[in-house]
Amino acid sequence: MTDLPESTAPDDAQPALARLRGGAHSDELALTALYEAHRAELFAFLLRMTRDREDAEDLLQEAFIRLIKEARAGRQPDAVRPWLYRVAANAAISRSRHGAVWSRLLPRLVDLREPVRPEGELLRAERETELHAALAELPPDGRAALLLAAQGFHGHEIAASIGRTEGATRTLLCRSRVQLRLVLESAEGRA
Amino acid sequence: MNRQHLDDRRRHERTLELAATAVDFELTSAETGELEAQLAACPTCARRAAALRADASTLRLPLTLLPSPRVDDAVYAAIARQPARPQRLLLLVGAALLLLVALLGALAAGAYLLRSWETLPTTVVPLPTAPVAVVSPNANAPGVMIWNMSAANRIEVSTYRPAARNGLSGLFGVDTWPDPDRLAGTVINRQLLASPTGKLVAIAETDPRARTRIRVLTSKGAVVWSTESTNGVPALAWSADGSLLAVAFTPQPWFVVNFQADGSPNLSKYSPPTDVPLKLVGFSADGLRLLAYDGTGEAAPWESPYAIDLAGGTVARLDQFAGGPSGIAVSNTTTLSGLVDPVTGRVLDSGDLSGRQTNWSLRQGSMSTELGVPVSNAKASIQPRWADDGSIVVLETSLDNDPPSLNQKDPTLGLIRQPAAGAEPGEIVKVTWSYMGPYGTRCKGVLLDVRHGWALVGLSGIPSSDDAWLGYDTLSLVNLGAQSRSGLMNLDGLGKRDIHVAGLFQ
């Protein structure tokens, strides 16, 4: 009896990750490591950008699949983290410009249903929620710039990510911070 | 307000700007001196500056959230296998296999439908037994205008006419602005929109700095009109007869270009109110108005419709979108016109999945009719679009999670007829499912257009949320007209990749 060739079709009974690690090539391991190193952080960024979990997941998946495509074509970027953020930021901004179908309820980023929390932590959680609700009122370019700055990117990197000059990015960041503060102050005044 | 108050206000604003800039950049020594002096002199400014720094710190706090397992599965699957582009010879072999699998799938899906939905008040039409490979060209089928990038700065425009002898015809090539940094995703936003007659095509390009160029070309590639602006990405719409093109920047200006019989353009310019930025939906069916809605987001579109009278230039707030001649034209647009019923003016508000049903609301002004639509499983993604006869076409793509599987369920097309007058809301009168055939890998399907009994679906082997980015690998034109059979024409033998659609034409 001859051995049958190993099937290349996905095996429904075996999760992809286990199969991947069982017989992976070095590039597959490297790509897996990149994904696992950056997915949580990038997902958090996209969630704050889009305020929609499903959209954030779609954009996260696209960014990494694009990275895989580029890597397979011999064009893996030297600095993967800023590249991922550039691609993700552009995709999120582009999606905002194309427009969502209709407005949806904005998801809470922090679950306040937990029964017992230290007061300081609860206050911090509420402040985060207010801040991210205020972020949603900024235009997508400004929101992206603020969130990229929060991730530790410098002005020239942010400029490259959002397709502006460094001078224009400096102005955008300044105006966005001021606008965010004014939105928060206005909300505090209404509270 | 006296001079002193004005000066104080300017000083506070200046201080806030400097404090905001200081969060991310180094100030000059003069700016630093100015800021420190003002903070020392003004407790309010000092408090706000501290609040700015606190805002920045709060944004830096990490969110400990992970994406759902479906994302992991998709990425690991992409890492584990090399996406292959089948060669032309393999396409023929693949088509034969598709035919066999689709026939089996059609029978299986038909049995599944009857088993799952027998308790719903639904009349289910058995799946068609007609083959889902290329069918005989139909003289009534619309043509499809498509485009792709033949070079970094070149667009190729082609048409596919099912009734034509050769099917695919190249029309013309035209230059385009190259993408500034495609690798990083900094690209030109390109929109191509064919007129409903196919005689003209509008091309709009917007760069990352919001500079826009719009050209209208004949089917031979001659430019008959062009304009440039710095207003960002416009919405475009053709009138149903193909003689008028609307170009709408938010909030202004809006143009209507009248391409007369000899092709020469006649331009009218409109200035919608800037305090209520309007979003274009499209022309009215009679071509006399532009329909729009309040784009501020403060009211839902069905609660805030507007009409611009093209002759008088007046803007009217409507109670609701209408149907018929005053309603939305069935035509090519880059807007959300497919979600407005051309027959009644109702707006389809798609809602949440609940078990194996997705709940929609058909909204008009303050009225709402609820509609529950069965789906194949609880993880379905369902895209609806109104057809010109008032039925609703849906494209469903679902993830088979039970048991866990890497394969997406194949995209399937359905048709939902309007409940008859007097029928209970939520009753599905008739549903027909057309099984698209296995695509083989995870795919993204988009219901692109529905016109005169035909549905155009774009399928892409690698998911993309932005079809200006990757485009489609396969286009399918599905005949919805017959209840007992549906024709499906796969346009994937075009020899083109990353196809984009400019529109249907007759």
Side-chain angles (χ1 to χ4, degrees):
Chain A
M1 178 184 291
T2 57
D3 287 336
L4 290 173
E6 185 178 323
S7 169
T8 56
D11 181 350
D12 286 357
Q14 187 177 16
L17 178 57
R19 193 166 63 254
L20 182 68
R21 287 181 174 154
H25 301 294
S26 61
D27 69 324
E28 291 168 350
L29 286 172
L31 288 168
T32 304
L34 281 172
Y35 175 63
E36 292 177 352
H38 296 297
R39 67 176 166 173
E41 183 190 40
L42 195 63
F43 180 59
F45 167 77
L46 286 168
L47 201 52
R48 285 168 167 151
M49 271 297 295
T50 62
R51 306 264 309 155
D52 184 294
R53 191 183 181 97
E54 199 175 312
D55 281 355
E57 288 184 349
D58 283 349
L59 291 169
L60 179 76
Q61 182 179 314
E62 285 171 26
F64 278 102
I65 286 180
R66 190 167 183 177
L67 175 66
I68 293 162
K69 200 178 177 184
E70 295 299 323
R72 291 255 154 86
R75 295 189 297 261
Q76 178 160 330
D78 294 329
V80 171
R81 183 175 180 261
W83 185 92
L84 282 170
Y85 272 93
R86 273 208 304 278
V87 169
N90 273 298
I93 292 169
S94 179
R95 180 175 280 219
S96 295
R97 287 201 188 113
H98 287 181
V101 176
W102 312 127
S103 60
R104 290 158 137 184
L105 291 174
L106 300 177
R108 294 184 73 91
L109 294 179
V110 177
D111 190 344
L112 295 182
R113 291 172 299 172
E114 294 173 19
V116 177
R117 298 179 71 173
E119 183 179 299
E121 203 178 310
L122 194 65
L123 286 172
R124 194 197 81 176
E126 287 187 349
R127 177 167 167 66
E128 281 178 31
T129 303
E130 285 162 6
L131 189 65
H132 290 114
L135 258 184
E137 298 201 27
L138 269 59
D141 285 3
R143 197 181 325 142
L146 286 182
L147 291 173
L148 287 168
Q151 294 297 324
F153 291 106
H154 299 296
H156 65 278
E157 292 170 312
I158 298 171
S161 292
I162 61 177
R164 293 185 179 221
T165 63
E166 287 188 44
T169 301
R170 179 183 164 118
T171 304
L172 177 69
L173 269 169
C174 168
R175 284 190 185 153
S176 300
R177 291 206 184 278
V178 169
Q179 190 179 354
L180 184 68
R181 177 92 304 267
L182 293 175
V183 168
L184 284 165
E185 287 175 1
S186 174
E188 285 161 14
R190 284 196 297 266
Chain B
M1 187 180 292
N2 64 30
R3 174 107 194 154
Q4 179 63 41
H5 282 138
L6 268 173
D7 288 345
D8 286 345
R9 192 169 84 174
R10 284 193 192 117
R11 196 163 41 250
H12 293 317
E13 285 170 359
R14 167 73 177 160
T15 304
L16 196 60
E17 282 173 13
L18 285 173
T21 305
V23 173
D24 302 295
F25 300 95
E26 260 195 55
L27 301 179
T28 64
S29 51
E31 288 172 334
T32 302
E34 185 185 345
L35 177 62
E36 287 175 353
Q38 183 58 19
L39 293 181
C42 175
T44 302
C45 290
R47 182 178 50 78
R48 290 175 109 192
L52 275 171
R53 291 192 295 275
D55 294 343
S57 296
T58 305
L59 281 177
R60 281 193 284 269
L61 292 172
L63 264 182
T64 52
L65 288 169
L66 286 174
S68 62
R70 73 166 175 99
V71 180
D72 290 347
D73 281 349
V75 173
Y76 293 138
I79 293 172
R81 59 176 184 264
Q82 298 271 359
R85 301 285 196 187
Q87 299 303 309
R88 189 169 283 275
L89 181 61
L90 289 175
L91 274 175
L92 295 174
V93 174
L97 289 172
L98 276 176
L99 172 61
L100 177 63
V101 174
L103 281 172
L104 293 172
L107 291 170
Y112 172 79
L113 283 171
L114 292 171
R115 185 175 66 246
S116 298
W117 299 339
E118 59 191 351
T119 59
L120 294 174
T122 305
T123 303
V124 178
V125 177
L127 284 176
T129 57
V132 295
V134 175
V135 298
S136 300
N138 186 317
N140 295 325
V144 186
M145 189 176 290
I146 63 174
W147 64 275
N148 63 293
M149 300 290 290
S150 57
N153 58 350
R154 193 116 181 116
I155 292 172
E156 258 186 34
V157 180
S158 312
T159 58
Y160 184 88
R161 300 206 70 126
R165 186 174 181 153
N166 296 325
L168 180 70
S169 301
L171 285 188
F172 59 86
V174 64
D175 65 283
T176 181
W177 294 336
D179 296 325
D181 187 350
R182 189 168 178 81
L183 187 66
T186 310
V187 296
I188 299 293
N189 180 302
R190 297 183 184 87
Q191 304 179 85
L192 271 75
L193 195 68
S195 72
T197 60
K199 292 180 182 170
L200 297 170
V201 56
I203 303 178
E205 302 152 281
T206 306
D207 73 8
R209 286 169 176 73
R211 183 173 62 111
T212 298
R213 174 173 66 173
I214 302 171
R215 295 171 288 173
V216 175
L217 289 76
T218 67
S219 57
K220 291 184 172 28
V223 178
V224 294
W225 181 71
S226 72
T227 189
E228 289 203 20
S229 82
T230 54
N231 296 102
V233 178
L236 306 174
W238 284 98
S239 60
D241 65 0
S243 67
L244 304 173
L245 172 71
V247 177
F249 294 98
T250 301
Q252 312 179 339
W254 287 25
F255 300 104
V256 171
V257 189
N258 185 340
F259 295 95
Q260 303 173 93
D262 62 1
S264 60
N266 191 342
L267 183 74
S268 301
K269 185 175 170 182
Y270 302 89
S271 297
T274 53
D275 58 335
V276 181
L278 296 182
K279 292 268 176 89
L280 176 68
V281 179
F283 281 91
S284 60
D286 58 16
L288 300 179
R289 290 166 207 84
L290 287 177
L291 299 176
Y293 64 93
D294 178 355
T296 60
E298 292 177 2
W302 51 85
E303 294 170 324
S304 59
Y306 284 78
I308 296 177
D309 178 83
L310 295 179
T314 54
V315 180
R317 171 80 184 259
L318 307 174
D319 287 335
Q320 59 196 33
F321 286 118
S326 302
I328 190 67
V330 177
S331 183
N332 292 332
T333 74
T334 62
T335 73
L336 302 171
S337 62
L339 293 175
V340 182
D341 179 6
V343 174
T344 64
R346 287 188 292 182
V347 178
L348 198 154
D349 183 18
S350 52
D352 300 322
L353 282 174
S354 173
R356 293 190 179 219
Q357 177 172 291
T358 185
N359 301 308
W360 292 346
S361 301
L362 308 182
R363 301 189 187 270
Q364 191 161 33
S366 58
M367 305 294 292
S368 178
T369 301
E370 305 309 308
L371 197 66
V373 178
V375 294
S376 60
N377 73 42
K379 296 285 185 182
S381 162
I382 189 163
Q383 300 168 49
R385 196 176 177 98
W386 290 100
D388 41 14
D389 64 353
S391 55
I392 302 171
V393 181
V394 292
L395 177 71
E396 180 185 330
T397 310
S398 55
L399 174 62
D400 190 358
N401 256 343
D402 182 23
S405 167
L406 296 174
N407 289 328
Q408 292 288 307
K409 270 199 145 193
D410 300 273
T412 56
L413 207 62
L415 183 70
I416 299 170
R417 299 269 184 225
Q418 292 261 13
E424 285 293 316
E427 177 184 350
I428 309 296
V429 173
K430 188 168 287 187
V431 174
T432 301
W433 295 102
S434 170
Y435 190 61
M436 302 289 286
Y439 197 80
T441 59
R442 178 184 165 112
C443 67
K444 179 178 173 67
V446 177
L447 181 57
L448 290 166
D449 208 343
V450 177
R451 192 78 53 86
H452 307 310
W454 293 81
L456 180 66
V457 177
L459 297 169
S460 173
I462 296 177
S464 168
S465 67
D466 180 350
D467 68 318
W469 172 35
L470 282 181
Y472 303 102
D473 303 322
T474 301
L475 295 176
S476 293
L477 198 57
V478 183
N479 186 334
L480 303 166
Q483 292 295 317
S484 60
R485 61 189 291 274
S486 84
L488 172 68
M489 280 167 273
N490 281 322
L491 283 68
D492 58 354
L494 298 179
K496 289 181 176 290
R497 289 292 162 223
D498 298 341
I499 301 162
H500 308 270
V501 175
L504 294 173
F505 62 95
Q506 211 63 47

